[in-house]
Amino acid sequence: DRRATLILTLTLCNLRKTELSKAAKVFEMFETQIHHFETRRAKKPKNSADDLDIFVECEVHSADVSILITSLKRVAEDVKTSREDKVPWFPRKIQDLDKCHHLITKYDPSLDHGHPGYTDLEYKKRRAFFADLAFNYRAGDPLPLIEYTAQETATWREVYRKLSSLYPTHACTQYLDAFQQLEKYCGYQEDNIPQLQDVSRFLKGQTGFQLRPAAGLLSARDFLASLAFRVFQSTQYIRHFSSPMHSPEPDCCHELLGHVPMLADKEFAQFSQDIGLASLGSSEAEIEKLATLYWFTVEFGLCKQNGSIKAYGAGLLSSYGELMYALSNKPEYKPFDPEMAAVHPYQDQAFQPVYFIVENLEDAKAKLQNYAMKIKKPFSLRYDPFTSNIEVMNTPQKVKRALHQMKEELKNLCLALENLS
């Protein structure tokens, strides 16, 4: 039911040939609500002095925007538009994540001249294979099983061996505990690239998170939306063999060594889901701030533990060079403040000059929740873990139903406390 407001300008030529009525029929066909309609003689007539410039402000179903514009282009010239969604579309059920696959292609090996695999046709062909798997995946399908090549496994081995030597001294305890479990149950070892199916099953049992395949670097809106459902979109391809210690884009080394172990921690899983929930229906400006917050926490976050500074961010835990650098005396440290972190400049192709340090993950979660409450939206949302759906709390009945469920849960907890005493 989402509606979009459109500002349209177009030119109708040879009005005697009923172009105006044709254009009117297009608007009628898509049940367009017209708020303002203005005509004037064309400034630059193409065919005759009867050419007409038209300005329209209207409202239409968001799903019809593209086809409306295409239809107008058949009966008019110079059709131009700008749009303002009243509420940007967001997924309501886990199956809607099938639509959340829009890629940011600036680091794609086929387009980025600086990518290590840019001139490697075999590598680009292999990447196309992985992209097809991800684009054809649908919620509920088994996760694709990959037969990795000897070269891919050799790249993984080099990365795994080097990074795992740093973890005992540089990674936070939550990461180390989970990493040990992943080695035990999910085939984490230097001669084996773990399969998403095994890892997803493990995460589901730990925190309710699950994986789905991604073709590459996703748009911030699509990626964050997935987190709201406790779904992490994970690439399955591996970085180019010529550059094992650095990848300009996410790959399975980054996902499996950086993100997955932390997603097995309950506090961190809730923190990740909270960022996702905050993103749903947010404006582009708010999405940019949330993506920056994600960058300085989930990707490059540091925390205090036992009087030391440790890493919990995936960008650090999957980069040998930056993990060493981040815990040296070279960068600047700042205490984590969501308001500040959300607008702080960052580097996506160099080491960060500044890192934000959280007191602990629970404190970071509380600060994020306070930040998210200030994001202005015309509705409140609630995630239903039983159905994996997002409920828009837009009626008193829905709020009452949620409160009733909470009361039932509180009764059970009170009973549990009584039994313990």
Side-chain angles (χ1 to χ4, degrees), residues 291-334:
T292 307
L293 256 181
Y294 183 91
W295 182 269
F296 281 116
T297 53
V298 178
E299 290 291 358
F300 291 95
L302 298 172
C303 62
K304 293 180 182 178
Q305 275 186 355
N306 304 320
S308 300
I309 304 296
K310 301 290 183 182
Y312 72 91
L316 296 174
L317 292 160
S318 60
S319 168
Y320 183 88
E322 189 152 8
L323 186 53
M324 292 276 284
Y325 167 82
L327 296 181
S328 70
N329 58 6
K330 293 174 184 174
E332 180 186 351
Y333 291 156
K334 290 185 178 181

mmCIF file of all heavy atoms in Angstrom, residues 291-334:
data_model
loop_
_atom_site.group_PDB
_atom_site.id
_atom_site.type_symbol
_atom_site.label_atom_id
_atom_site.label_comp_id
_atom_site.label_asym_id
_atom_site.label_seq_id
_atom_site.Cartn_x
_atom_site.Cartn_y
_atom_site.Cartn_z
ATOM 1 N N ALA A 291 24.327 3.398 8.658
ATOM 2 C CA ALA A 291 25.408 2.657 7.990
ATOM 3 C C ALA A 291 26.770 3.080 8.544
ATOM 4 O O ALA A 291 27.675 2.247 8.699
ATOM 5 C CB ALA A 291 25.361 2.890 6.481
ATOM 6 N N THR A 292 26.916 4.365 8.852
ATOM 7 C CA THR A 292 28.166 4.860 9.440
ATOM 8 C C THR A 292 28.343 4.337 10.862
ATOM 9 O O THR A 292 29.444 3.955 11.267
ATOM 10 C CB THR A 292 28.196 6.405 9.424
ATOM 11 O OG1 THR A 292 27.941 6.855 8.088
ATOM 12 C CG2 THR A 292 29.545 6.936 9.866
ATOM 13 N N LEU A 293 27.237 4.288 11.610
ATOM 14 C CA LEU A 293 27.267 3.689 12.955
ATOM 15 C C LEU A 293 27.698 2.228 12.871
ATOM 16 O O LEU A 293 28.511 1.754 13.677
ATOM 17 C CB LEU A 293 25.867 3.754 13.572
ATOM 18 C CG LEU A 293 25.590 4.797 14.633
ATOM 19 C CD1 LEU A 293 24.156 4.674 15.133
ATOM 20 C CD2 LEU A 293 26.548 4.655 15.807
ATOM 21 N N TYR A 294 27.130 1.516 11.909
ATOM 22 C CA TYR A 294 27.483 0.108 11.691
ATOM 23 C C TYR A 294 28.976 -0.013 11.398
ATOM 24 O O TYR A 294 29.658 -0.911 11.904
ATOM 25 C CB TYR A 294 26.651 -0.433 10.526
ATOM 26 C CG TYR A 294 26.839 -1.897 10.227
ATOM 27 C CD1 TYR A 294 26.029 -2.854 10.823
ATOM 28 C CD2 TYR A 294 27.814 -2.333 9.326
ATOM 29 C CE1 TYR A 294 26.183 -4.204 10.548
ATOM 30 C CE2 TYR A 294 27.979 -3.681 9.041
ATOM 31 C CZ TYR A 294 27.158 -4.602 9.655
ATOM 32 O OH TYR A 294 27.338 -5.937 9.379
ATOM 33 N N TRP A 295 29.472 0.910 10.579
ATOM 34 C CA TRP A 295 30.883 0.902 10.200
ATOM 35 C C TRP A 295 31.790 1.004 11.429
ATOM 36 O O TRP A 295 32.760 0.254 11.572
ATOM 37 C CB TRP A 295 31.146 2.063 9.245
ATOM 38 C CG TRP A 295 32.545 2.157 8.734
ATOM 39 C CD1 TRP A 295 33.576 2.855 9.287
ATOM 40 C CD2 TRP A 295 33.091 1.495 7.583
ATOM 41 N NE1 TRP A 295 34.721 2.689 8.542
ATOM 42 C CE2 TRP A 295 34.456 1.853 7.496
ATOM 43 C CE3 TRP A 295 32.538 0.645 6.621
ATOM 44 C CZ2 TRP A 295 35.279 1.392 6.485
ATOM 45 C CZ3 TRP A 295 33.367 0.185 5.612
ATOM 46 C CH2 TRP A 295 34.717 0.551 5.551
ATOM 47 N N PHE A 296 31.479 1.928 12.326
ATOM 48 C CA PHE A 296 32.350 2.177 13.476
ATOM 49 C C PHE A 296 32.124 1.207 14.640
ATOM 50 O O PHE A 296 32.845 1.266 15.636
ATOM 51 C CB PHE A 296 32.184 3.620 13.965
ATOM 52 C CG PHE A 296 32.929 4.623 13.127
ATOM 53 C CD1 PHE A 296 32.249 5.595 12.406
ATOM 54 C CD2 PHE A 296 34.314 4.591 13.042
ATOM 55 C CE1 PHE A 296 32.936 6.520 11.627
ATOM 56 C CE2 PHE A 296 35.012 5.506 12.266
ATOM 57 C CZ PHE A 296 34.320 6.474 11.556
ATOM 58 N N THR A 297 31.128 0.324 14.510
ATOM 59 C CA THR A 297 30.877 -0.657 15.565
ATOM 60 C C THR A 297 31.061 -2.074 15.025
ATOM 61 O O THR A 297 32.083 -2.706 15.259
ATOM 62 C CB THR A 297 29.460 -0.477 16.144
ATOM 63 O OG1 THR A 297 28.498 -0.501 15.078
ATOM 64 C CG2 THR A 297 29.352 0.822 16.918
ATOM 65 N N VAL A 298 30.095 -2.529 14.257
ATOM 66 C CA VAL A 298 30.114 -3.914 13.765
ATOM 67 C C VAL A 298 31.328 -4.192 12.890
ATOM 68 O O VAL A 298 31.892 -5.284 12.910
ATOM 69 C CB VAL A 298 28.810 -4.227 13.004
ATOM 70 C CG1 VAL A 298 28.840 -5.646 12.445
ATOM 71 C CG2 VAL A 298 27.610 -4.053 13.927
ATOM 72 N N GLU A 299 31.777 -3.189 12.128
ATOM 73 C CA GLU A 299 32.932 -3.402 11.252
ATOM 74 C C GLU A 299 34.270 -3.060 11.926
ATOM 75 O O GLU A 299 35.232 -3.818 11.814
ATOM 76 C CB GLU A 299 32.789 -2.576 9.964
ATOM 77 C CG GLU A 299 31.695 -3.064 9.026
ATOM 78 C CD GLU A 299 32.003 -4.408 8.368
ATOM 79 O OE1 GLU A 299 33.093 -4.968 8.595
ATOM 80 O OE2 GLU A 299 31.124 -4.903 7.637
ATOM 81 N N PHE A 300 34.335 -1.926 12.634
ATOM 82 C CA PHE A 300 35.638 -1.477 13.145
ATOM 83 C C PHE A 300 35.596 -1.101 14.628
ATOM 84 O O PHE A 300 36.337 -0.229 15.078
ATOM 85 C CB PHE A 300 36.164 -0.309 12.296
ATOM 86 C CG PHE A 300 36.542 -0.742 10.906
ATOM 87 C CD1 PHE A 300 35.645 -0.626 9.858
ATOM 88 C CD2 PHE A 300 37.778 -1.311 10.651
ATOM 89 C CE1 PHE A 300 35.976 -1.057 8.580
ATOM 90 C CE2 PHE A 300 38.122 -1.745 9.384
ATOM 91 C CZ PHE A 300 37.227 -1.620 8.345
ATOM 92 N N GLY A 301 34.741 -1.792 15.376
ATOM 93 C CA GLY A 301 34.581 -1.483 16.791
ATOM 94 C C GLY A 301 35.655 -2.088 17.676
ATOM 95 O O GLY A 301 36.157 -3.186 17.434
ATOM 96 N N LEU A 302 36.004 -1.347 18.728
ATOM 97 C CA LEU A 302 36.903 -1.819 19.781
ATOM 98 C C LEU A 302 36.154 -1.771 21.110
ATOM 99 O O LEU A 302 35.231 -0.978 21.285
ATOM 100 C CB LEU A 302 38.153 -0.936 19.870
ATOM 101 C CG LEU A 302 39.064 -0.892 18.637
ATOM 102 C CD1 LEU A 302 40.144 0.171 18.813
ATOM 103 C CD2 LEU A 302 39.701 -2.257 18.387
ATOM 104 N N CYS A 303 36.552 -2.609 22.049
ATOM 105 C CA CYS A 303 35.895 -2.629 23.359
ATOM 106 C C CYS A 303 36.936 -2.777 24.469
ATOM 107 O O CYS A 303 38.070 -3.210 24.230
ATOM 108 C CB CYS A 303 34.877 -3.762 23.442
ATOM 109 S SG CYS A 303 35.585 -5.421 23.255
ATOM 110 N N LYS A 304 36.535 -2.412 25.681
ATOM 111 C CA LYS A 304 37.396 -2.577 26.856
ATOM 112 C C LYS A 304 37.143 -3.943 27.473
ATOM 113 O O LYS A 304 35.999 -4.356 27.629
ATOM 114 C CB LYS A 304 37.085 -1.486 27.890
ATOM 115 C CG LYS A 304 37.452 -0.082 27.445
ATOM 116 C CD LYS A 304 37.114 0.931 28.533
ATOM 117 C CE LYS A 304 37.428 2.358 28.075
ATOM 118 N NZ LYS A 304 37.053 3.361 29.100
ATOM 119 N N GLN A 305 38.225 -4.637 27.812
ATOM 120 C CA GLN A 305 38.104 -5.932 28.486
ATOM 121 C C GLN A 305 39.308 -6.157 29.382
ATOM 122 O O GLN A 305 40.455 -6.144 28.898
ATOM 123 C CB GLN A 305 37.985 -7.085 27.465
ATOM 124 C CG GLN A 305 36.562 -7.311 27.005
ATOM 125 C CD GLN A 305 36.407 -8.534 26.110
ATOM 126 O OE1 GLN A 305 37.374 -9.195 25.727
ATOM 127 N NE2 GLN A 305 35.167 -8.834 25.755
ATOM 128 N N ASN A 306 39.049 -6.351 30.676
ATOM 129 C CA ASN A 306 40.118 -6.648 31.644
ATOM 130 C C ASN A 306 41.279 -5.656 31.553
ATOM 131 O O ASN A 306 42.451 -6.046 31.560
ATOM 132 C CB ASN A 306 40.636 -8.088 31.430
ATOM 133 C CG ASN A 306 39.521 -9.112 31.526
ATOM 134 O OD1 ASN A 306 38.645 -8.989 32.380
ATOM 135 N ND2 ASN A 306 39.548 -10.106 30.662
ATOM 136 N N GLY A 307 40.938 -4.383 31.448
ATOM 137 C CA GLY A 307 41.973 -3.347 31.430
ATOM 138 C C GLY A 307 42.693 -3.185 30.107
ATOM 139 O O GLY A 307 43.634 -2.403 30.001
ATOM 140 N N SER A 308 42.264 -3.917 29.080
ATOM 141 C CA SER A 308 42.895 -3.828 27.751
ATOM 142 C C SER A 308 41.865 -3.407 26.711
ATOM 143 O O SER A 308 40.666 -3.440 26.964
ATOM 144 C CB SER A 308 43.495 -5.177 27.341
ATOM 145 O OG SER A 308 44.469 -5.599 28.253
ATOM 146 N N ILE A 309 42.369 -3.051 25.540
ATOM 147 C CA ILE A 309 41.495 -2.767 24.393
ATOM 148 C C ILE A 309 41.528 -3.979 23.465
ATOM 149 O O ILE A 309 42.599 -4.459 23.107
ATOM 150 C CB ILE A 309 41.968 -1.516 23.619
ATOM 151 C CG1 ILE A 309 42.068 -0.308 24.548
ATOM 152 C CG2 ILE A 309 41.021 -1.219 22.456
ATOM 153 C CD1 ILE A 309 40.772 0.148 25.158
ATOM 154 N N LYS A 310 40.352 -4.469 23.091
ATOM 155 C CA LYS A 310 40.245 -5.638 22.208
ATOM 156 C C LYS A 310 39.333 -5.308 21.023
ATOM 157 O O LYS A 310 38.517 -4.389 21.075
ATOM 158 C CB LYS A 310 39.681 -6.842 22.971
ATOM 159 C CG LYS A 310 40.509 -7.274 24.183
ATOM 160 C CD LYS A 310 41.835 -7.894 23.768
ATOM 161 C CE LYS A 310 42.615 -8.396 24.990
ATOM 162 N NZ LYS A 310 43.917 -8.965 24.600
ATOM 163 N N ALA A 311 39.468 -6.087 19.972
ATOM 164 C CA ALA A 311 38.665 -5.870 18.758
ATOM 165 C C ALA A 311 37.428 -6.757 18.753
ATOM 166 O O ALA A 311 37.496 -7.928 19.126
ATOM 167 C CB ALA A 311 39.507 -6.161 17.519
ATOM 168 N N TYR A 312 36.295 -6.171 18.343
ATOM 169 C CA TYR A 312 35.100 -6.979 18.074
ATOM 170 C C TYR A 312 34.551 -6.715 16.663
ATOM 171 O O TYR A 312 33.645 -7.399 16.218
ATOM 172 C CB TYR A 312 34.013 -6.724 19.132
ATOM 173 C CG TYR A 312 33.320 -5.373 19.038
ATOM 174 C CD1 TYR A 312 32.169 -5.218 18.274
ATOM 175 C CD2 TYR A 312 33.798 -4.264 19.731
ATOM 176 C CE1 TYR A 312 31.529 -3.989 18.187
ATOM 177 C CE2 TYR A 312 33.165 -3.033 19.656
ATOM 178 C CZ TYR A 312 32.022 -2.901 18.885
ATOM 179 O OH TYR A 312 31.389 -1.677 18.798
ATOM 180 N N GLY A 313 35.120 -5.742 15.944
ATOM 181 C CA GLY A 313 34.652 -5.398 14.600
ATOM 182 C C GLY A 313 35.170 -6.340 13.530
ATOM 183 O O GLY A 313 36.343 -6.713 13.520
ATOM 184 N N ALA A 314 34.279 -6.718 12.605
ATOM 185 C CA ALA A 314 34.616 -7.710 11.572
ATOM 186 C C ALA A 314 35.673 -7.211 10.599
ATOM 187 O O ALA A 314 36.498 -7.987 10.116
ATOM 188 C CB ALA A 314 33.358 -8.100 10.803
ATOM 189 N N GLY A 315 35.667 -5.908 10.302
ATOM 190 C CA GLY A 315 36.682 -5.362 9.403
ATOM 191 C C GLY A 315 38.076 -5.476 9.968
ATOM 192 O O GLY A 315 39.053 -5.644 9.230
ATOM 193 N N LEU A 316 38.173 -5.400 11.294
ATOM 194 C CA LEU A 316 39.467 -5.569 11.965
ATOM 195 C C LEU A 316 39.851 -7.037 12.046
ATOM 196 O O LEU A 316 40.983 -7.426 11.747
ATOM 197 C CB LEU A 316 39.407 -4.978 13.383
ATOM 198 C CG LEU A 316 39.175 -3.473 13.476
ATOM 199 C CD1 LEU A 316 38.991 -3.051 14.934
ATOM 200 C CD2 LEU A 316 40.334 -2.714 12.847
ATOM 201 N N LEU A 317 38.891 -7.872 12.450
ATOM 202 C CA LEU A 317 39.182 -9.289 12.711
ATOM 203 C C LEU A 317 39.396 -10.099 11.431
ATOM 204 O O LEU A 317 39.773 -11.264 11.485
ATOM 205 C CB LEU A 317 38.045 -9.889 13.548
ATOM 206 C CG LEU A 317 37.997 -9.322 14.983
ATOM 207 C CD1 LEU A 317 36.624 -9.534 15.615
ATOM 208 C CD2 LEU A 317 39.091 -9.942 15.848
ATOM 209 N N SER A 318 39.177 -9.454 10.269
ATOM 210 C CA SER A 318 39.464 -10.135 8.999
ATOM 211 C C SER A 318 40.569 -9.430 8.224
ATOM 212 O O SER A 318 40.791 -9.710 7.054
ATOM 213 C CB SER A 318 38.193 -10.207 8.138
ATOM 214 O OG SER A 318 37.709 -8.902 7.863
ATOM 215 N N SER A 319 41.291 -8.519 8.897
ATOM 216 C CA SER A 319 42.390 -7.801 8.247
ATOM 217 C C SER A 319 43.610 -7.796 9.169
ATOM 218 O O SER A 319 43.625 -7.091 10.184
ATOM 219 C CB SER A 319 41.972 -6.361 7.927
ATOM 220 O OG SER A 319 43.094 -5.582 7.563
ATOM 221 N N TYR A 320 44.622 -8.568 8.796
ATOM 222 C CA TYR A 320 45.823 -8.698 9.635
ATOM 223 C C TYR A 320 46.469 -7.325 9.866
ATOM 224 O O TYR A 320 46.777 -6.945 10.997
ATOM 225 C CB TYR A 320 46.825 -9.643 8.959
ATOM 226 C CG TYR A 320 48.077 -9.897 9.778
ATOM 227 C CD1 TYR A 320 48.112 -10.917 10.715
ATOM 228 C CD2 TYR A 320 49.228 -9.120 9.600
ATOM 229 C CE1 TYR A 320 49.257 -11.160 11.470
ATOM 230 C CE2 TYR A 320 50.376 -9.353 10.349
ATOM 231 C CZ TYR A 320 50.381 -10.371 11.282
ATOM 232 O OH TYR A 320 51.504 -10.597 12.033
ATOM 233 N N GLY A 321 46.630 -6.559 8.786
ATOM 234 C CA GLY A 321 47.312 -5.265 8.891
ATOM 235 C C GLY A 321 46.564 -4.279 9.768
ATOM 236 O O GLY A 321 47.150 -3.631 10.637
ATOM 237 N N GLU A 322 45.248 -4.169 9.555
ATOM 238 C CA GLU A 322 44.497 -3.168 10.327
ATOM 239 C C GLU A 322 44.272 -3.611 11.767
ATOM 240 O O GLU A 322 44.192 -2.775 12.665
ATOM 241 C CB GLU A 322 43.165 -2.829 9.657
ATOM 242 C CG GLU A 322 42.502 -1.646 10.341
ATOM 243 C CD GLU A 322 41.598 -0.806 9.453
ATOM 244 O OE1 GLU A 322 41.332 -1.212 8.305
ATOM 245 O OE2 GLU A 322 41.159 0.256 9.917
ATOM 246 N N LEU A 323 44.192 -4.919 12.000
ATOM 247 C CA LEU A 323 44.065 -5.403 13.383
ATOM 248 C C LEU A 323 45.313 -5.035 14.188
ATOM 249 O O LEU A 323 45.212 -4.587 15.341
ATOM 250 C CB LEU A 323 43.839 -6.923 13.377
ATOM 251 C CG LEU A 323 43.546 -7.603 14.720
ATOM 252 C CD1 LEU A 323 42.386 -6.936 15.458
ATOM 253 C CD2 LEU A 323 43.257 -9.086 14.509
ATOM 254 N N MET A 324 46.476 -5.199 13.578
ATOM 255 C CA MET A 324 47.731 -4.805 14.230
ATOM 256 C C MET A 324 47.755 -3.289 14.466
ATOM 257 O O MET A 324 48.099 -2.815 15.552
ATOM 258 C CB MET A 324 48.922 -5.190 13.340
ATOM 259 C CG MET A 324 49.141 -6.677 13.192
ATOM 260 S SD MET A 324 50.091 -7.375 14.556
ATOM 261 C CE MET A 324 51.731 -6.829 14.115
ATOM 262 N N TYR A 325 47.359 -2.540 13.435
ATOM 263 C CA TYR A 325 47.395 -1.078 13.504
ATOM 264 C C TYR A 325 46.415 -0.527 14.552
ATOM 265 O O TYR A 325 46.762 0.366 15.335
ATOM 266 C CB TYR A 325 47.064 -0.518 12.117
ATOM 267 C CG TYR A 325 46.766 0.958 12.084
ATOM 268 C CD1 TYR A 325 47.793 1.906 12.052
ATOM 269 C CD2 TYR A 325 45.447 1.419 12.086
ATOM 270 C CE1 TYR A 325 47.514 3.269 12.018
ATOM 271 C CE2 TYR A 325 45.156 2.779 12.047
ATOM 272 C CZ TYR A 325 46.194 3.693 12.022
ATOM 273 O OH TYR A 325 45.916 5.030 11.993
ATOM 274 N N ALA A 326 45.194 -1.081 14.562
ATOM 275 C CA ALA A 326 44.151 -0.560 15.448
ATOM 276 C C ALA A 326 44.522 -0.682 16.919
ATOM 277 O O ALA A 326 44.114 0.141 17.748
ATOM 278 C CB ALA A 326 42.831 -1.288 15.185
ATOM 279 N N LEU A 327 45.290 -1.713 17.248
ATOM 280 C CA LEU A 327 45.668 -1.925 18.642
ATOM 281 C C LEU A 327 47.115 -1.486 18.915
ATOM 282 O O LEU A 327 47.728 -1.915 19.880
ATOM 283 C CB LEU A 327 45.464 -3.399 19.036
ATOM 284 C CG LEU A 327 43.994 -3.850 18.983
ATOM 285 C CD1 LEU A 327 43.852 -5.302 19.404
ATOM 286 C CD2 LEU A 327 43.116 -2.977 19.871
ATOM 287 N N SER A 328 47.617 -0.604 18.051
ATOM 288 C CA SER A 328 48.936 0.005 18.287
ATOM 289 C C SER A 328 48.706 1.391 18.894
ATOM 290 O O SER A 328 47.576 1.766 19.202
ATOM 291 C CB SER A 328 49.701 0.127 16.961
ATOM 292 O OG SER A 328 49.102 1.115 16.136
ATOM 293 N N ASN A 329 49.756 2.164 19.016
ATOM 294 C CA ASN A 329 49.597 3.521 19.571
ATOM 295 C C ASN A 329 49.427 4.577 18.475
ATOM 296 O O ASN A 329 49.530 5.773 18.721
ATOM 297 C CB ASN A 329 50.796 3.873 20.462
ATOM 298 C CG ASN A 329 52.118 3.783 19.696
ATOM 299 O OD1 ASN A 329 52.122 3.558 18.474
ATOM 300 N ND2 ASN A 329 53.224 3.951 20.390
ATOM 301 N N LYS A 330 49.153 4.131 17.238
ATOM 302 C CA LYS A 330 49.077 5.076 16.113
ATOM 303 C C LYS A 330 47.715 5.760 15.945
ATOM 304 O O LYS A 330 47.658 6.956 15.728
ATOM 305 C CB LYS A 330 49.474 4.361 14.813
ATOM 306 C CG LYS A 330 50.950 3.958 14.791
ATOM 307 C CD LYS A 330 51.263 3.136 13.552
ATOM 308 C CE LYS A 330 52.711 2.651 13.585
ATOM 309 N NZ LYS A 330 53.011 1.732 12.473
ATOM 310 N N PRO A 331 46.598 5.019 16.013
ATOM 311 C CA PRO A 331 45.317 5.689 15.749
ATOM 312 C C PRO A 331 44.811 6.475 16.963
ATOM 313 O O PRO A 331 45.318 6.331 18.072
ATOM 314 C CB PRO A 331 44.376 4.525 15.442
ATOM 315 C CG PRO A 331 44.932 3.376 16.198
ATOM 316 C CD PRO A 331 46.428 3.562 16.222
ATOM 317 N N GLU A 332 43.773 7.268 16.712
ATOM 318 C CA GLU A 332 43.109 8.003 17.795
ATOM 319 C C GLU A 332 41.915 7.186 18.286
ATOM 320 O O GLU A 332 41.209 6.570 17.490
ATOM 321 C CB GLU A 332 42.623 9.360 17.259
ATOM 322 C CG GLU A 332 41.925 10.225 18.293
ATOM 323 C CD GLU A 332 41.335 11.497 17.698
ATOM 324 O OE1 GLU A 332 41.616 11.781 16.501
ATOM 325 O OE2 GLU A 332 40.593 12.190 18.413
ATOM 326 N N TYR A 333 41.701 7.160 19.591
ATOM 327 C CA TYR A 333 40.560 6.467 20.187
ATOM 328 C C TYR A 333 39.555 7.489 20.717
ATOM 329 O O TYR A 333 39.945 8.520 21.279
ATOM 330 C CB TYR A 333 40.994 5.582 21.356
ATOM 331 C CG TYR A 333 41.825 4.371 20.991
ATOM 332 C CD1 TYR A 333 42.676 3.785 21.926
ATOM 333 C CD2 TYR A 333 41.769 3.804 19.715
ATOM 334 C CE1 TYR A 333 43.448 2.680 21.617
ATOM 335 C CE2 TYR A 333 42.546 2.693 19.400
ATOM 336 C CZ TYR A 333 43.384 2.129 20.351
ATOM 337 O OH TYR A 333 44.146 1.032 20.047
ATOM 338 N N LYS A 334 38.274 7.179 20.531
ATOM 339 C CA LYS A 334 37.216 8.009 21.109
ATOM 340 C C LYS A 334 36.196 7.110 21.797
ATOM 341 O O LYS A 334 35.932 5.996 21.322
ATOM 342 C CB LYS A 334 36.511 8.829 20.013
ATOM 343 C CG LYS A 334 37.363 9.931 19.423
ATOM 344 C CD LYS A 334 36.565 10.777 18.430
ATOM 345 C CE LYS A 334 37.430 11.919 17.892
ATOM 346 N NZ LYS A 334 36.684 12.775 16.943
#
